[in-house]
Amino acid sequence: MTENHKFQLGTIGALSLSVVSSVSIVICNKALISTLGFTFATTLTSWHLLVTFCSLHVALSMNLFEHKPFDATAVMGFGILNGISIGLWNLSLGFNSVGFYQMTKLAIIPCTVLLETLFFRKKFSRNIQLSLAILLLGVGIATVTDLQLNLLGSVLSLLAVITTCVAQIMTNTIQKKFKVSSTQLLYQSCPYQSITLFIVGPFLDGLLTNLNVFAFKYTPQVLFFIVLSCLISVTVNFSTFLVIGKTSPVTYQVLGHLKTCLVLAFGYGLLHDQFSWRNIMGILIAVVGMVLYSYYCTVESQQQKASESSAQLPQVKESESDPLIIADKGSEILSESDPKTPAWNLKRDLDA
């Protein structure tokens, strides 16, 4: 199996793992929050990250991956930024309508494209842009309902979008710059994310719900779903870093909108949520956008590899026709055919 096939299989596996784990944790958290009344989302996320770190630490002690320390400042900044981003999204949902919250989630893709174009000189073809526009249109139709605006909520949403885009771009950039795997980056950044959310979580949850997370009545059923949610989160966090490292932040966001559509479908099929023809039409349009995006990405990737191969071929031919190499080969042939004739005059070289 070639390296290219291994990479493709690894990418497909990472995408599948991310979809399955994310849809599972959304269903689990929906039961925990909506049914059991545990509405402390930020604090729950801090527990997710803490369990993820402990799981990775156990895996490290079993030599399942290698610890690779690198720039501590970059790791700390990245971890804190991720924690702030999660907190801002929870605040955005608390101070905005659900429709406006979903609309701001859609803004992550164009914002990421803009940042990568401005700072990394990355180019997105018209076909890629068109497929992303179709995707965003479909998700918007399926999820966005009301758009109630307010100044504080708009500012929080803007900050959440910017911090998320920067954090996801950093995820991809750090892995490539320092040559670390998704597991190694997640292991080193988890403590900073967890501590950030553990400090601000109870305060944010209390501000949004007027309840105290430490005074909540933890029944066996609530504890079961909290533990289940934390265990699933290990896979979610790992697959997030894995997908961004193997693909790109934009592809991860496209995958995120696929998860949204699947969550809507599962909610209708399993939890009997309200569903309309508008939701169905939006999901179908979004799926068309995702298929087009995947197709154009594959085609452009193949074209890029073909152009790189063709560019390397003339260099090989040019090196083979180099007179110095020909002379060197000629001297080797001469020395093999007539061992008595030296390839060079050692005395002459010393005299010179």
Side-chain angles (χ1 to χ4, degrees):
M1 184 180 294
T2 63
E3 290 295 328
N4 186 32
H5 288 152
K6 289 181 180 179
F7 178 79
Q8 290 178 350
L9 289 176
T11 303
I12 293 173
L15 295 173
S16 303
L17 181 64
S18 179
V19 170
V20 172
S21 60
S22 295
V23 173
S24 300
I25 200 170
V26 166
I27 295 174
C28 178
N29 288 347
K30 187 167 185 178
L32 185 61
I33 294 173
S34 302
T35 306
L36 301 176
F38 188 84
T39 56
F40 311 102
T42 308
T43 304
L44 180 62
T45 306
S46 71
W47 296 345
H48 287 170
L49 292 166
L50 181 61
V51 171
T52 299
F53 174 74
C54 293
S55 302
L56 290 176
H57 191 70
V58 172
L60 179 64
S61 64
M62 296 172 64
N63 296 321
L64 296 180
F65 72 95
E66 181 184 357
H67 180 46
K68 186 178 179 181
F70 58 98
D71 190 351
T73 304
V75 175
M76 183 183 298
F78 170 72
I80 294 175
L81 182 65
N82 262 311
I84 292 174
S85 172
I86 296 171
L88 285 171
W89 277 118
N90 289 333
L91 282 174
S92 174
L93 181 59
F95 284 93
N96 291 300
S97 63
V98 176
F100 185 77
Y101 174 80
Q102 291 293 344
M103 181 63 76
T104 55
K105 296 282 278 188
L106 296 179
I108 295 177
I109 285 183
C111 182
T112 303
V113 170
L114 179 62
L115 290 176
E116 290 197 317
T117 303
L118 291 177
F119 295 101
F120 294 92
R121 297 291 186 265
K122 188 173 181 179
K123 295 181 179 180
F124 296 86
S125 66
R126 290 187 179 275
N127 290 332
I128 294 292
Q129 295 175 12
L130 176 62
S131 62
L132 290 175
I134 295 173
L135 166 67
L136 295 177
L137 175 64
V139 176
I141 294 174
T143 59
V144 177
T145 51
D146 56 324
L147 292 176
Q148 300 175 6
L149 302 178
N150 65 82
L151 180 59
L152 179 59
S154 300
V155 172
L156 290 172
S157 297
L158 177 63
L159 292 174
V161 169
I162 293 174
T163 53
T164 300
C165 293
V166 174
Q168 290 180 358
I169 291 174
M170 285 180 66
T171 302
N172 185 271
T173 304
I174 288 176
Q175 289 189 50
K176 292 180 178 178
K177 180 179 178 181
F178 296 103
K179 293 181 173 53
V180 293
S181 66
S182 55
T183 309
Q184 291 167 335
L185 177 58
L186 180 61
Y187 175 71
Q188 295 192 62
S189 63
C190 253
Y192 300 107
Q193 296 182 58
S194 179
I195 291 172
T196 301
L197 291 177
F198 190 78
I199 293 173
V200 303
F203 170 75
L204 290 183
D205 291 333
L207 179 66
L208 297 174
T209 64
N210 292 323
L211 297 173
N212 186 352
V213 63
F214 301 109
F216 187 80
K217 185 179 180 180
Y218 291 90
T219 63
Q221 192 175 13
V222 171
L223 291 174
F224 170 78
F225 276 97
I226 289 177
V227 172
L228 180 62
S229 178
C230 289
L231 293 176
I232 298 174
S233 72
V234 177
T235 309
V236 173
N237 291 324
F238 172 73
S239 63
T240 297
F241 282 66
L242 190 62
V243 168
I244 297 178
K246 283 186 171 292
T247 57
S248 69
V250 174
T251 299
Y252 176 72
Q253 285 302 319
V254 171
L255 187 69
H257 291 309
L258 171 61
K259 298 172 192 175
T260 301
C261 295
L262 289 175
V263 167
L264 288 174
F266 275 111
Y268 175 71
L270 299 178
L271 304 177
H272 306 292
D273 291 343
Q274 293 183 355
F275 215 65
S276 66
W277 285 106
R278 174 180 172 177
N279 300 125
I280 297 174
M281 182 177 66
I283 290 175
L284 291 176
I285 294 174
V287 169
V288 170
M290 293 173 200
V291 171
L292 289 175
Y293 177 80
S294 301
Y295 172 75
Y296 289 133
C297 282
T298 303
V299 170
E300 292 181 10
S301 176
Q302 292 175 349
Q303 290 175 348
Q304 183 180 0
K305 290 179 181 178
S307 62
E308 290 176 354
S309 299
S310 61
Q312 290 176 355
L313 187 59
Q315 294 178 1
V316 174
K317 290 182 177 180
E318 181 181 352
S319 63
E320 289 180 350
S321 61
D322 193 327
L324 294 176
I325 297 179
I326 293 175
D328 185 52
K329 288 183 177 178
S331 65
E332 290 176 357
I333 296 172
L334 180 62
S335 61
E336 289 176 359
S337 60
D338 186 9
K340 296 179 181 180
T341 305
W344 65 87
N345 189 321
L346 180 60
K347 185 176 185 300
R348 183 191 63 192
D349 291 342
L350 291 175
D351 292 341

